[in-house]
Amino acid sequence: KNQVEQSPQSLIILEGKNCTLQCNYTVSPFSNLRWYKQDTGRGPVSLTIMTFSENTKSNGRYTATLDADTKQSSLHITASQLSDSASYICVPISGTYKYIFGTGTRLKVLA
Amino acid sequence: DAEITQSPRHKITETGRQVTLACHQTWNHNNMFWYRQDLGHGLRLIHYSYGVQDTNKGEVSDGYSVSRSNTEDLPLTLESAASSQTSVYFCASSEPTGELFFGEGSRLTVL
C-alpha cells in the first residue's frame, strides 16, 4: 500500500533559523518526488521535483534531498522568513500522474 | 497569464441538495483532477480526466461525478450532498511533465 509519513506534524521556529522537514514513503513503482508549499487558504504550489537519480536539489533557500534506497526525503529551509509559514507537503509520484500526498508539516515562523 | 480558477470559493448547502463546483483552466492542459482536503488526510483524488470526453474515478469517487466537454473545464457535481462531503475541494491541471497546478480551492459546508 502506498504511504507517506511526514515529520514533525508541526514546527515553530524563530525567523532567521534553519529547519529540516522529513518524509518517509512507501510507493511502488516510484517515479519521482515533489515538495509542495501550501499557504493557509490557498492551493499547493510546487517547490521542487526530485527524480530517483537525484540526491540534492536547491530552489533558493529551499534544499531537498532524496535517498531512493531508504525511501526518505527531506526539505531544508535556510534562514527562515515569516513568509515561510505554511504547510509543506511531500508528494512521491508513481508513474506520471499518480500523486501520493502526505498530510504535511505545518511550519510557523515567529518574528 | 494562464491560470486555474474555481467557483464558488465558499458554499453552504443542505443535505440532499445537488451541488456543482466549477473549475476552469487556461493552461490548455489535457489532464485535470479534483481532490478533497480534510484534516488528518493528505489530498485525496476524487476524479480525473486525461482529455475531452475522458473521465476516471479516483480513490474517493462515491457520491461525485464529473464531465469533460472541453479542454478548459471540469465541473465536479455532488449528486446528493452529505455532511461527510464537507471539505475543501481543489481542482488541478497538469502539464505533460506531470507538475500539478492547483486552483485556490472551494470550501463546501453541508448542513
Side-chain angles (χ1 to χ4, degrees):
Chain A
K1 180 181 178 182
N2 293 325
Q3 289 185 319
V4 184
E5 293 183 358
Q6 292 188 242
S7 62
Q9 285 189 320
S10 61
L11 182 62
I12 300 174
I13 62 173
L14 293 175
E15 188 178 16
K17 297 296 185 182
N18 304 335
C19 66
T20 300
L21 314 180
Q22 301 289 345
C23 174
N24 295 335
Y25 63 90
T26 304
V27 171
S28 181
F30 175 76
S31 175
N32 49 53
L33 184 144
R34 288 184 182 271
W35 282 91
Y36 277 80
K37 178 186 181 186
Q38 185 175 20
D39 293 318
T40 301
R42 308 292 297 275
V45 176
S46 180
L47 288 174
T48 186
I49 178 171
M50 306 284 291
T51 64
F52 68 91
S53 61
E54 294 178 305
N55 298 120
T56 304
K57 182 176 281 187
S58 293
N59 177 7
R61 293 180 298 101
Y62 301 102
T63 300
T65 67
L66 175 67
D67 186 333
D69 291 331
T70 63
K71 298 180 172 51
Q72 295 179 324
S73 179
S74 67
L75 181 69
H76 184 77
I77 304 174
T78 302
S80 61
Q81 301 176 357
L82 297 178
S83 60
D84 292 332
S85 295
S87 288
Y88 292 85
I89 305 172
C90 173
V91 191
I93 301 162
S94 181
T96 302
Y97 301 123
K98 188 168 185 178
Y99 283 62
I100 315 299
F101 287 85
T103 54
T105 291
R106 187 173 298 176
L107 175 65
K108 179 72 173 177
V109 181
L110 300 178
Chain B
D1 288 343
E3 60 181 0
I4 181 166
T5 56
Q6 295 183 227
S7 63
R9 295 291 312 279
H10 301 273
K11 173 92 177 165
I12 300 174
T13 190
E14 296 176 340
T15 302
R17 298 240 183 209
Q18 183 181 78
V19 176
T20 296
L21 305 179
C23 176
H24 179 82
Q25 54 101 0
T26 57
W27 296 97
N28 200 34
H29 289 159
N30 285 324
N31 306 324
M32 296 184 72
F33 307 81
W34 273 105
Y35 291 89
R36 61 178 289 174
Q37 188 174 40
D38 305 287
L39 279 174
H41 293 274
L43 284 154
R44 291 183 290 175
L45 183 62
I46 304 172
H47 281 284
Y48 59 101
S49 168
Y50 288 155
V52 176
Q53 302 302 329
D54 176 73
T55 61
N56 306 279
K57 293 181 178 180
E59 60 181 307
V60 290
S61 60
D62 287 348
Y64 304 93
S65 64
V66 294
S67 61
R68 188 87 180 272
S69 59
N70 57 53
T71 301
E72 295 80 16
D73 299 289
L74 186 70
L76 177 71
T77 298
L78 286 68
E79 307 293 349
S80 176
S83 57
S84 61
Q85 295 177 308
T86 292
S87 186
V88 181
Y89 292 87
F90 287 97
C91 180
S93 66
S94 72
E95 58 184 10
T97 58
E99 179 175 354
L100 284 175
F101 293 87
F102 286 88
E104 295 299 302
S106 294
R107 182 177 293 275
L108 176 68
T109 301
V110 183
L111 301 176

